[in-house]
């Protein structure tokens, strides 16, 4: 059901790879709520072609940008401003990748070239995007920026590997940049800490099936789906959450505040 929450708003959605992507679902929901969009992903992801299908559905141009390259981000904002004839009202950062995870390198033996690359893509990219947006004054007053995080930023989840460190820094960047962007331009910056979700990035984590089942049992409401995450992002882009900034917001069916559940106790007793 649509409520026209984003009528007249314009936004950039980073990170729609295929229809399982959280960014893909969010683009669809934002479109339903009346927003106009620009889609962006790394050139290599665009070559896979799936995003064109989404672009057609939401009637949005696709602009390639590798988020580790300053010039790409600069060009993306220039082209977006040209397309909309002005700034944007919201940005979704739905980007993450760890080479240590991909190549199965244990956390205690991380390859630091991989670590640097993963950090650049998964965490520093938020700073890069916000800094360039601020330089070009590309986000309108009362705009909203959301980046996706995971509770491994606060607690240990073996096999989430160096993505845990990346998420901790991502949340820190949201908090710190949120201060400056809020004071300067009334732009809010938050992270949404989402339940484990079956997507390309999610399924890359070793033991993901066990991980997702455990979280399901440990959450009073069960795991939050990608579609529900999209709904939540819509509210954060809407004018109904104007005073929410610099927060890490758990969207996890209650997992983060649950010590143990009856279902887990019963499982342990078996
Ligand atoms: P996904 O694999 O669909 O999305 C990750 C995106 O990052 C892809 O579109 C990929 O092309 C993009 N990307 C990678 N390198 C890039 C680069 N250099 N430049 C531009 N884009 C680049 O997976 P998902 O799960 O939708 O991930 C979105 C976000 O949600 C990530 O930040 C992820 O860590 C986060 N998240 C995912 C959870 C899960 O269990 N799937 C749980 C909590 C958070």
């Amino acid at each position: 059901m649509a409520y026209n929450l984003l009528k007249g708003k314009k936004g950039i959605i980073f990170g729609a790879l295929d229809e399982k992507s959280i960014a893909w679902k969010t683009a669809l929901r934002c479109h339903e709520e009346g927003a106009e969009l620009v889609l962006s992903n790394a050139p290599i992801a665009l070559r896979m072609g799936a995003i064109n299908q989404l672009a057609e559905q939401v009637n949005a141009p696709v602009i390639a940008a590798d988020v580790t390259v300053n010039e790409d981000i600069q060009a993306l904002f220039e082209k977006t401003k040209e397309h909309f004839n002005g700034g944007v009202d919201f940005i979704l950062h739905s980007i993450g990748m760890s080479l240590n995870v991909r190549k199965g390198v244990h956390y205690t033996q991380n390859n630091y070239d991989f670590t640097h690359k993963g950090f650049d893509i998964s965490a520093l990219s938020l700073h890069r995007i916000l800094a360039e947006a601020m330089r070009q004054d590309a986000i309108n007053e009362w705009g909203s920026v959301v980046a996706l995080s995971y509770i491994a930023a606060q607690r240990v989840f073996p096999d989430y590997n160096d993505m845990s460190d990346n998420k901790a820094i991502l949340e820190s960047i949201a908090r710190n940049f949120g201060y400056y962007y809020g004071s300067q331009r009334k732009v809010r910056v938050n992270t949404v800490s989402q339940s484990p979700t079956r997507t390309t990035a999610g399924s890359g984590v070793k033991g993901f099936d066990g991980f997702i089942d455990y979280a399901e049992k440990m959450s009073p409401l069960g795991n939050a789906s990608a579609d529900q995450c999209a709904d939540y992002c819509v509210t954060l882009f809407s004018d109904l959450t104007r005073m929410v900034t610099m927060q890490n917001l758990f969207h996890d069916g209650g997992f983060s505040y649950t010590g143990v559940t009856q279902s887990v106790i019963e499982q342990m007793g078996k």
Side-chain angles (χ1 to χ4, degrees):
M1 194 166 137
Y3 307 88
N4 268 335
L5 283 175
L6 303 181
K7 197 168 187 314
K9 293 201 184 290
K10 301 171 169 67
I12 303 176
I13 305 269
F14 286 95
L17 180 67
D18 55 35
E19 56 188 19
K20 289 193 288 276
S21 301
I22 296 168
W24 188 291
K25 312 267 191 199
T26 309
L28 290 175
R29 280 297 285 125
C30 289
H31 176 67
E32 256 177 50
E33 290 297 333
E36 284 177 63
L37 302 174
V38 161
L39 304 174
S40 183
N41 209 327
I44 188 161
L46 298 190
R47 280 200 287 278
M48 292 164 68
I51 202 172
N52 294 329
Q53 187 194 321
L54 175 67
E56 235 172 76
Q57 267 177 282
V58 301
N59 191 24
V62 181
I63 303 177
D66 178 336
V67 290
T68 64
V69 179
N70 284 352
E71 295 72 30
D72 281 16
I73 301 297
Q74 190 183 327
L76 166 72
F77 279 118
E78 283 165 4
K79 286 180 197 160
T80 302
K81 280 170 73 180
E82 215 177 283
H83 172 70
F84 286 137
N85 204 10
V88 298
D89 304 292
F90 64 89
I91 294 177
L92 179 73
H93 175 290
S94 185
I95 302 164
M97 205 277 298
S98 158
L99 279 172
N100 285 307
V101 169
R102 268 211 194 162
K103 310 260 182 195
V105 184
H106 195 266
Y107 182 76
T108 56
Q109 285 147 28
N110 272 180
N111 171 318
Y112 298 132
D113 289 334
F114 293 173
T115 308
H116 277 297
K117 186 77 191 158
F119 167 65
D120 209 0
I121 292 174
S122 312
L124 199 56
S125 57
L126 179 62
H127 195 286
R128 208 185 292 280
I129 287 166
L130 289 167
E132 187 55 31
M134 189 180 251
R135 203 183 64 80
Q136 293 193 32
D137 193 18
I139 308 178
N140 300 330
E141 243 189 22
W142 295 108
S144 171
V145 179
V146 170
L148 288 167
S149 193
Y150 183 58
I151 194 172
Q154 287 81 28
R155 298 204 211 149
V156 176
F157 289 83
D159 295 325
Y160 202 65
N161 210 316
D162 58 337
M163 277 305 283
S164 310
D165 302 330
N166 292 334
K167 291 304 190 194
I169 299 173
L170 181 80
E171 291 176 13
S172 174
I173 291 172
R175 196 160 45 242
N176 282 285
F177 225 113
Y179 166 78
Y180 294 104
Y181 228 147
S183 336
Q184 225 179 83
R185 222 32 197 124
K186 302 215 179 316
V187 168
R188 58 199 189 276
V189 187
N190 295 291
T191 48
V192 167
S193 187
Q194 162 69 7
S195 294
T197 316
R198 280 184 215 284
T199 61
T200 304
S203 312
V205 177
K206 206 169 114 200
F208 188 74
D209 285 340
F211 214 60
I212 205 166
D213 290 347
Y214 172 72
E216 173 78 21
K217 286 198 164 62
M218 273 292 285
S219 312
L221 300 180
N223 286 330
S225 69
D227 283 312
Q228 289 165 330
C229 187
D231 284 343
Y232 192 36
C233 290
V234 164
T235 67
L236 291 170
F237 295 148
S238 81
D239 288 336
L240 300 179
T241 52
R242 275 188 165 195
M243 296 308 277
V244 181
T245 193
M246 300 156 68
Q247 303 296 312
N248 179 49
L249 304 160
F250 288 104
H251 183 256
D252 63 359
F255 178 88
S256 45
Y257 274 68
T258 302
V260 73
T261 56
Q262 198 57 39
S263 159
V264 169
I265 293 172
E266 280 162 19
Q267 186 84 21
M268 295 305 288
K270 278 186 192 160

